[in-house]
Amino acid sequence: METEKKHIIAKVWVNVCRFLLGLVFIFSGFVKAVDPLGFFYKIQDYLAAFGMESWFPVYLPLLFGIVLSAVEFSVGIFMFLGIRKNTASTLALLIMGAMTPLTFYLALADPVSDCGCFGDAWILTNWQTFGKNIVLLIAAISIFRWKDLTVRFITAKMEWMVSMYTFLFIFVLSFYCLGNLPILDFRPYKIGVNIKAGMEIPEGANPGVFESRFVLEKDGKRQEFALEDYPDSTWKFIETHTVLKEKGYEPPIHDFSMMNLETGEDITDSVLSDKGYAFLLVAHRIEDADDSNIDLINEIYDYSLEHGYAFYALTSSPEDEIELWRDKTGAEYPFCQMDDITLKTIIRSNPGLLLIKDGTILNKWSDNRLPDEYVLTDSLDKLEVGKQKQESDWHTMGCVLLWFIIPLMLVIGVDILVVKRKYINPFNNKTK
């Protein structure tokens, strides 16, 4: 009797751990898969913090991020359904065994602000992440030790189909979001957001103090300047970044600052207060931007001139790279300098295009989905493209879940109605 009670307790414990770890892995893998570039940027932060950024070609961290998100999501599905027990429990233990000491180091040394384990969907401090990983490590050890006690929902004869479909689904989702834009936007610059309102400080709150810093070079010597100390044109611009000088209340948007390259003036307020339409071409590093659709970008600029709309290109690249871009593409639009991290946060495409009006983001396009002359046939106020694109995270989530769950339910239905029924048929000589 005592042994039976212990067996029941162990079985309940292992299955609770299995569902907990499975759900966390599914969520973690999914939010990384829908924003593969965001996870790639976080991996780059890790490599830079450890001085390893130059060790790998650029594509390798991106590929690693896509594979890791697929593994996390698949392991979570396997655990939740009770299939591939050896593979799932081993991979879960390896992942948690590696991540737990790493996050302990991050909590102590703080080389990056957050681990990025849940992307931008749920940001935890490094100590919160370490605490979470301790719990998950205990769960992973328990599942690995007593994996045979987990309840299976899919028969062994059908699990190969579920496994293959899971991998295919998550890889297709990742590459779709990579080639277009994330289907779910967890960042502060999502469609419908008013940038100016996102920068406001609530009454009574102590604002944090941020400062734009500019790295310039002269006679082979680099020096950092604040905006008020910006020197004459004999200095060559290298890059710009935003630094926190004094911690306080941090609004969702705190680092949006447009410095006109020609005049050196901050034009942020005038652009965000403009009641008319404005196109913002975002290329966080212009030297790495895809120029395959440059003719279409130039056509959009000509369209904006024809209808009196503002058009600005935003980049963090130095002036010589901007001049190379102009020579290569024939670009005539004005450029503004902005923080590199901010630009990568605004849109996951290099280049990407935003349409704003009165500071509100109406639409976003990746480089592969730019509006063409068949869309821009009239003034924006008369076109659907000039209205705010209607997006619902719940609707998007529902569609994604249906794409994944409906085929999965068909497999489970076949498993229950055919495979299991055949297995238990007492008149089938092949059954046990």
Side-chain angles (χ1 to χ4, degrees):
M1 182 65 71
E2 188 69 25
T3 303
E4 186 177 349
K5 284 185 178 179
K6 289 182 178 179
H7 179 78
I8 294 173
I9 292 172
K11 190 170 185 178
V12 171
W13 168 254
V14 169
N15 282 280
V16 168
C17 290
R18 158 264 195 104
F19 286 121
L20 171 66
L21 198 58
L23 287 172
V24 171
F25 269 52
I26 291 170
F27 178 68
S28 178
F30 178 77
V31 296
K32 292 188 184 86
V34 298
D35 188 10
L37 276 180
F39 189 39
F40 164 65
Y41 295 147
K42 179 55 66 175
I43 293 174
Q44 285 187 316
D45 290 343
Y46 275 106
L47 295 177
F50 292 107
M52 300 166 59
E53 195 171 12
S54 61
W55 291 17
F56 309 98
V58 176
Y59 68 87
L60 201 58
L62 177 60
L63 182 60
F64 173 78
I66 292 174
V67 171
L68 181 58
S69 64
V71 168
E72 278 190 292
F73 182 82
S74 299
V75 167
I77 293 295
F78 296 168
M79 285 200 168
F80 198 84
L81 296 178
I83 61 176
R84 303 290 183 191
K85 296 180 182 181
N86 289 328
T87 301
S89 60
T90 302
L91 286 173
L93 184 59
L94 288 174
I95 291 172
M96 296 316 306
M99 292 305 299
T100 303
L102 175 61
T103 51
F104 181 59
Y105 169 77
L106 295 178
L108 291 175
D110 199 32
V112 293
S113 57
D114 70 275
C115 76
C117 50
F118 297 132
D120 290 306
W122 187 13
I123 297 176
L124 302 176
T125 67
N126 287 328
W127 279 112
Q128 288 172 336
T129 302
F130 174 64
K132 179 251 318 174
N133 285 350
I134 289 290
V135 175
L136 296 183
L137 179 60
I138 294 172
I141 292 172
S142 300
I143 297 166
F144 183 80
R145 174 67 178 81
W146 297 292
K147 62 177 78 71
D148 292 335
L149 297 180
T150 57
V151 178
R152 174 188 286 274
F153 293 140
I154 303 289
T155 61
K157 292 185 177 182
M158 296 294 290
E159 69 177 15
W160 67 270
M161 189 178 295
V162 176
S163 304
M164 288 182 62
Y165 176 68
T166 299
F167 272 113
L168 179 63
F169 171 83
I170 201 66
F171 270 113
V172 169
L173 179 64
S174 286
F175 282 103
Y176 175 83
C177 294
L178 182 64
N180 298 280
L181 291 176
I183 58 173
L184 292 170
D185 194 346
F186 302 109
R187 291 155 290 146
Y189 295 95
K190 64 189 305 180
I191 292 174
V193 165
N194 185 279
I195 299 175
K196 198 169 184 179
M199 299 167 69
E200 293 176 354
I201 307 294
E203 188 176 349
N206 294 320
V209 178
F210 294 88
E211 184 177 64
S212 294
R213 306 290 296 181
F214 304 91
V215 179
L216 307 178
E217 184 179 74
K218 183 177 181 179
D219 300 328
K221 179 183 177 182
R222 292 191 178 186
Q223 191 171 335
E224 198 171 85
F225 297 90
L227 181 61
E228 58 270 17
D229 302 323
Y230 203 88
D232 56 49
S233 58
T234 59
W235 287 79
K236 177 185 175 183
F237 176 87
I238 302 300
E239 63 179 358
T240 180
H241 58 272
T242 304
V243 297
L244 176 65
K245 295 188 66 178
E246 185 178 329
K247 191 171 179 60
Y249 172 81
E250 187 175 297
I253 298 175
H254 55 266
D255 46 11
F256 189 93
S257 176
M258 297 173 58
M259 189 197 76
N260 189 293
L261 187 64
E262 301 297 329
T263 64
E265 297 178 0
D266 188 329
I267 61 172
T268 308
D269 189 64
S270 62
V271 172
L272 297 182
S273 301
D274 189 347
K275 301 296 182 182
Y277 292 98
F279 287 101
L280 301 180
L281 179 68
V282 178
H284 67 93
R285 300 300 295 182
I286 200 72
E287 61 271 25
D288 299 327
D290 184 359
D291 61 356
S292 59
N293 289 315
I294 192 60
D295 290 337
L296 187 51
I297 293 173
N298 289 338
E299 287 174 11
I300 296 171
Y301 174 61
D302 292 338
Y303 168 84
S304 68
L305 288 180
E306 180 184 346
H307 291 84
Y309 306 137
F311 190 109
Y312 299 98
L314 312 180
T315 186
S316 65
S317 296
E319 290 184 45
D320 56 346
E321 296 292 350
I322 294 173
E323 288 304 317
L324 284 175
W325 174 265
R326 282 173 168 161
D327 292 340
K328 181 171 62 172
T329 65
E332 298 179 353
Y333 36 80
F335 275 82
C336 293
Q337 301 285 352
M338 188 177 282
D339 178 67
D340 182 62
I341 295 176
T342 303
L343 295 174
K344 290 189 288 188
T345 304
I346 290 173
I347 191 167
R348 302 297 201 208
S349 181
N350 188 29
L353 186 69
L354 273 72
L355 177 65
I356 67 171
K357 184 179 183 181
D358 197 19
T360 298
I361 300 174
L362 302 182
N363 214 330
K364 288 183 177 185
W365 297 275
S366 70
D367 182 50
N368 298 322
R369 294 295 181 95
L370 296 172
D372 55 26
E373 69 272 15
Y374 299 106
V375 175
L376 303 175
T377 56
D378 207 335
S379 59
L380 288 173
D381 59 304
K382 298 177 182 177
L383 299 175
E384 189 66 27
V385 73
K387 301 174 183 177
Q388 181 181 316
K389 184 179 179 182
Q390 298 302 311
E391 291 191 333
S392 169
D393 289 346
W394 289 109
H395 178 266
T396 303
M397 280 291 295
C399 291
V400 173
L401 287 173
L402 286 176
W403 273 105
F404 181 69
I405 290 176
I406 288 179
L408 195 64
M409 292 303 293
L410 291 175
V411 173
I412 294 175
V414 171
D415 191 43
I416 294 173
L417 298 175
V418 179
V419 179
K420 287 185 178 178
R421 191 172 181 179
K422 182 179 179 181
Y423 183 81
I424 64 174
N425 186 352
F427 299 105
N428 190 334
N429 295 327
K430 294 181 181 180
T431 58
K432 295 181 180 178

